[in-house]
Amino acid sequence: MILWLILAAILIVTVRLWPRAIVFILIAVAVVGTGIFAWTRHIDSERAQIAISVTYDPSGCPAARPMSVTIRNTSPLPLERVTFSIHARKPGYSSVVTPYTYKQYESDKIIAPGESFSTCYPKPLMDRDAKAGTDEASLEWSASVDNVYLRWPP
């Protein structure tokens, strides 16, 4: 709140002392704002082109890495690296029972456009209350893409 007051005071003083400067200030703010908006839209569109599916698969994966993860690249560029988080919910509930999302998973497997890659990862830490009596196979598993690194130029 105080920052906005300081910025408003600076703007008022600038307009009073240099009235023509306001045009340049407004143009600069518009250019920077448009750049930030375009960049965040670009980042979001890159994330949307990477699909990650997760299943708890102790029979198909080693015991230390029971999470089967498939990463699909639907972008027109090769995927060089992706970081993601794995989440689990009890069926019919919205709360995440794996709240420790500080643990990011990553893959540096280069995945060509339209291709996918599957591998196994360790299970994320679970909430203490959820650990007691919860069957991991009955949980609803999902993943969220954190960062995407595409190869430029293709």
Side-chain angles (χ1 to χ4, degrees):
M1 179 67 177
I2 204 116
L3 178 64
W4 289 110
L5 292 174
I6 292 170
L7 290 174
I10 290 171
L11 184 63
I12 290 169
V13 168
T14 304
V15 169
R16 286 283 196 196
L17 295 177
W18 304 284
R20 293 183 184 173
I22 191 66
V23 173
F24 297 110
I25 291 171
L26 291 176
I27 289 172
V29 168
V31 168
V32 169
T34 302
I36 291 171
F37 177 75
W39 181 252
T40 56
R41 298 268 311 208
H42 172 72
I43 296 295
D44 289 343
S45 72
E46 284 184 347
R47 282 189 199 143
Q49 294 176 355
I50 306 303
I52 300 179
S53 59
V54 181
T55 55
Y56 180 73
D57 186 12
S59 61
C61 291
R65 302 165 64 90
M67 305 306 300
S68 176
V69 175
T70 301
I71 304 166
R72 180 157 177 73
N73 180 10
T74 62
S75 81
L77 300 170
L79 174 66
E80 287 197 337
R81 185 170 166 256
V82 63
T83 61
F84 57 96
S85 301
I86 296 177
H87 312 283
R89 291 177 175 77
K90 289 182 181 179
Y93 290 87
S94 61
S95 296
V96 175
V97 297
T98 53
Y100 307 104
T101 56
Y102 63 85
K103 167 77 170 124
Q104 274 191 336
Y105 296 86
E106 75 176 271
S107 171
D108 63 351
K109 172 73 174 161
I110 298 173
I111 305 172
E115 303 273 318
S116 50
F117 169 71
S118 296
T119 190
C120 298
Y121 285 90
K123 183 179 66 167
L125 296 175
M126 294 181 63
D127 192 335
R128 185 178 324 172
D129 297 333
K131 242 188 226 185
T134 300
D135 177 24
E136 284 91 357
S138 69
L139 295 173
E140 295 172 352
W141 294 94
S142 63
S144 59
V145 177
D146 297 325
N147 293 301
V148 171
Y149 302 90
L150 298 173
R151 182 178 291 168
W152 289 89

